[in-house]
């Protein structure tokens, strides 16, 4: 396992497992937590909403989840993402969700808990961990 993978797995292990709840334990909150653990930079404050309606309004305000993430991170998306970097996946059953790249997968928090999703579902990624 490379250094980026090790950092990502360590960050995953610091996530306090709890029921899925928008604004507390959802895909964006999980990804922001992992980024904070890896980089020392607090991205969680940039994803403030209290419930599903607030989250939907925030996404609508920016035009898409990808645009919201780009705005919040202050970094343009690209193809150079590595383990630990934030990504957005698109799935037929749930739509777009934010996660963290790990090897050939994205790890996302869904209503069913942490889920590994094949990287073929990644529609956007941001290079944060090797800046």
């Amino acid at each position: 396992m490379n250094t980026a993978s090790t950092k990502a797995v360590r960050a995953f292990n610091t996530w306090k497992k709890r029921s899925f709840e928008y604004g507390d334990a959802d895909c964006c909150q999980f990804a922001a937590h992992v980024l904070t653990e890896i980089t020392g930079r607090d991205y969680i404050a940039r994803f403030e909403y209290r419930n599903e309606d607030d989250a939907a309004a925030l996404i609508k305000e920016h035009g898409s989840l990808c645009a919201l993430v780009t705005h919040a991170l202050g970094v343009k998306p690209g193809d150079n993402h590595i383990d630990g970097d934030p990504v957005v996946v698109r799935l037929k059953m749930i739509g777009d969700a934010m996660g963290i790249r790990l090897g050939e997968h994205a790890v996302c928090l869904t209503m069913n808990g942490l889920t590994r999703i094949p990287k073929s579902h990644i529609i956007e990624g941001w290079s944060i961990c090797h800046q």
Side-chain angles (χ1 to χ4, degrees), residues 15-80:
W15 176 255
K16 181 183 169 197
K17 186 178 177 182
R18 53 201 183 274
S19 297
F20 187 96
E21 183 179 341
Y22 283 94
D24 176 55
D26 61 35
C27 65
C28 290
Q29 296 300 319
F30 169 72
H33 167 82
V34 171
L35 287 175
T36 300
E37 290 292 309
I38 292 173
T39 67
R41 188 169 174 194
D42 183 6
Y43 291 95
I44 295 170
R46 297 173 182 204
F47 290 100
E48 286 201 26
Y49 46 91
R50 293 178 304 233
N51 54 47
E52 186 174 6
D53 290 340
D54 288 352
L58 193 57
I59 291 168
K60 185 176 180 179
E61 176 184 326
H62 290 276
S64 69
L65 179 58
C66 290
L68 170 60
V69 173
T70 297
H71 173 78
L73 297 177
V75 175
K76 291 183 181 181
D79 295 328
N80 247 358

Side-chain angles (χ1 to χ4, degrees), residues 66 69-70 73 75-82 85-89 98-99 101 122-128:
C66 290
V69 173
T70 297
L73 297 177
V75 175
K76 291 183 181 181
D79 295 328
N80 247 358
H81 42 90
I82 63 169
D85 279 335
V87 295
V88 169
V89 298
M98 190 172 180
R101 171 80 185 267
I122 295 173
I123 60 168
E124 206 71 82
W126 296 263
S127 296
I128 299 291

Side-chain angles (χ1 to χ4, degrees), residues 12 20 27 30 87 89 91 94 97-102 105-118:
F12 295 162
F20 187 96
C27 65
F30 169 72
V87 295
V89 298
L91 301 169
I94 63 172
M98 190 172 180
I100 298 292
R101 171 80 185 267
L102 184 64
H105 295 89
V107 177
C108 300
L109 182 64
T110 68
M111 290 185 180
N112 295 322
L114 290 179
T115 306
R116 288 183 345 161
I117 298 166

